[in-house]
Amino acid sequence: MFSGQQIAELLESLGVTHVVTVPDSTIGQWQEAIERRRATQLVRVCREGEAWQVAAGLYMGGKRPLVMIQCTGLFESGDAIRNAVHDWKLPLFAIIGYRSYLNQDTLPGDTCLVFTEPTLDAWKIDYRLITSADQLPTIAEHFTASRDRCAAGAILIAEGKA
Amino acid sequence: MMSAKEALAVVHQLRGDEDIVITTMTPARDWMTMPQHPRDLVMVPSAMSHATSMGLGLALAQPDRRVIVCNGDGSMVMNLGSLVSIAEARTSNLTVLVFDNGTYEVTGSQRVPGAGTANFVQFADGAGFAATFQFSDIDTWRRGARNALFAPGPTFIWLRVESVAGMPGPKSPGPAGARATAFMAALGAK
Ligand SMILES: Cc1ncc(C[n+]2csc(CCOP(=O)(O)OP(=O)(O)O)c2C)c(N)n1
């Protein structure tokens, strides 16, 4: 849907200093462009719960991090989100790949479609769903609005393959 | 073996004014009995196992400060991958200490998997830490602590400490949101 260059430019324009990430086959394609642009540092972690807590440390240290993971990683992140966002009240922001949303050919009946949005609701994370390329401005709008409200937020990027 | 609290007191004594110290589990409980510092992050409440990840974020954000993470062994085995993430990030200003008492002390001293057999220094070496140390008696730890704590990192220190049954867990010293704000101010972060 988006090229790495589009995302790298967007992150730079939003002042994102660090992207803390575990890839999937969509968001992972953006890593190279983000690194090439050098405005935003990529932090590679081993599991997604780590990503939220690394972002928490970055935020408390004065940086503007963004968590970039797949929705499967959202499911594994629960306690880390609860603690960082709700205990410590840190307004972390995430871009989350929404597996199978556009196409279930690879994983027919993918239960990610059942659990992703209720999980974000359960963790009280205000999200916007991006299903087409013309919604790129929505990412910036939601990021900026969340930052101004000092609230956590997320963007769900609809994906077509696992 | 040494007393966990005595071992922690060595960290307390040697930490520099600009350093950040993160504590969790029994190290957090014991730390709160000692004089507090604005650049302490007592990670209570925590997401268990994530003190190392929080430390990695702080070390990346504040490269001119030493970040010292005082972790439990049960917490460490729950997030061993964070050692790999730390080594990958090559944060030379980060020191991870594991207070290995062989038990989940704050939940009633149940046995931690691997107690007595898992080798934490080998985990950290294998992950790619720049410096690793282990200490099991207080005199050697006191003599070696400064060199170990401030070695070019990422640095890992395995401390073999006694488990004390029947002790209470750490209590939160106050609302975490307000403490995060104060901690950020102490770091000069907006
Ligand atoms: C994800 C998760 N699982 C289990 C618990 C329950 N729990 C709280 S503290 C603790 C033990 C911590 O053990 P360790 O890190 O070894 O520290 P110690 O208590 O020995 O200092 C456990 C299992 C929890 N808080 N979070």
Side-chain angles (χ1 to χ4, degrees):
Chain A
M1 191 181 300
F2 303 118
S3 69
Q5 192 180 333
Q6 279 177 300
I7 296 295
E9 283 172 9
L10 178 71
L11 296 175
E12 183 175 6
S13 73
L14 295 174
V16 172
T17 57
H18 296 77
V19 168
V20 194
T21 191
V22 178
D24 73 6
S25 49
T26 299
I27 60 175
Q29 301 303 314
W30 303 336
Q31 287 194 1
E32 201 188 314
I34 293 168
E35 284 197 304
R36 212 177 325 110
R37 199 163 181 89
R38 305 184 90 134
T40 306
Q41 194 183 327
L42 214 58
V43 183
R44 295 183 171 87
V45 292
C46 302
R47 59 177 267 235
E48 290 83 353
E50 277 186 75
W52 294 89
Q53 293 276 327
V54 170
L58 282 162
Y59 184 88
M60 285 197 285
K63 300 298 180 186
R64 186 160 294 286
L66 182 141
V67 172
M68 196 179 280
I69 56 177
Q70 193 181 56
C71 58
T72 48
L74 171 70
F75 305 142
E76 103 81 36
S77 296
D79 198 41
I81 296 176
R82 180 197 58 73
N83 177 248
V85 172
H86 297 293
D87 288 345
W88 292 93
K89 311 247 181 280
L90 305 176
L92 304 179
F93 198 88
I95 291 183
I96 300 171
Y98 198 165
R99 195 174 79 179
S100 302
Y101 188 91
L102 297 174
N103 177 355
Q104 291 185 61
D105 282 354
T106 309
L107 292 169
D110 189 354
T111 53
C112 285
L113 298 174
V114 179
F115 294 110
T116 298
E117 293 180 67
T119 299
L120 282 171
D121 288 336
W123 293 119
K124 300 191 193 316
I125 294 183
D126 185 23
Y127 65 90
R128 300 289 179 275
L129 172 59
I130 306 292
T131 56
S132 64
D134 61 1
Q135 287 177 285
L136 187 63
T138 304
I139 303 178
E141 280 159 26
H142 189 45
F143 181 94
T144 309
S146 302
R147 184 187 58 201
D148 293 349
R149 287 192 300 123
C150 242
I155 291 292
L156 281 178
I157 303 277
E159 296 180 345
K161 50 178 183 166
Chain B
M1 292 262 202
M2 51 188 151
S3 137
K5 193 165 174 184
E6 273 179 6
L8 188 70
V10 175
V11 181
H12 193 272
Q13 191 197 343
L14 292 179
R15 77 91 61 87
D17 183 48
E18 293 300 328
D19 301 336
I20 293 169
V21 179
I22 303 176
T23 50
T24 187
M25 303 303 169
T26 55
R29 179 194 67 204
D30 292 343
W31 192 263
M32 285 188 275
T33 67
M34 304 173 197
Q36 300 296 285
H37 188 287
R39 283 178 278 280
D40 290 345
L41 187 72
V42 174
M43 206 174 158
V44 182
S46 70
M48 180 176 167
S49 85
H50 286 295
T52 45
S53 303
M54 188 84 92
L56 171 55
L58 280 162
L60 285 166
Q62 300 262 322
D64 296 332
R65 297 183 196 276
R66 176 62 67 154
V67 178
I68 299 169
V69 178
C70 299
N71 204 13
D73 52 332
S75 300
M76 192 70 256
V77 294
M78 193 180 273
N79 195 2
L80 282 176
S82 67
L83 296 177
V84 179
S85 305
I86 289 166
E88 167 78 7
R90 291 204 279 273
T91 38
S92 59
N93 58 327
L94 180 58
T95 302
V96 173
L97 295 95
V98 169
F99 288 73
D100 178 7
N101 55 16
T103 67
Y104 296 116
E105 187 170 312
V106 309
T107 50
S109 301
Q110 301 87 356
R111 177 185 158 83
V112 168
T117 51
N119 185 316
F120 284 91
V121 153
Q122 285 183 359
F123 289 148
D125 277 333
F129 268 56
T132 58
F133 303 88
Q134 56 179 305
F135 299 93
S136 49
D137 76 89
I138 191 72
D139 292 333
T140 319
W141 170 228
R142 284 196 181 114
R143 279 197 302 276
R146 182 179 294 282
N147 172 50
L149 282 169
F150 300 104
T155 303
F156 186 90
I157 303 172
W158 182 21
L159 299 176
R160 312 291 292 272
V161 299
E162 288 152 13
S163 179
V164 186
M167 294 286 282
K171 284 215 161 47
S172 170
R179 285 193 286 132
T181 306
F183 178 65
M184 289 175 68
L187 300 183
K190 287 177 274 113

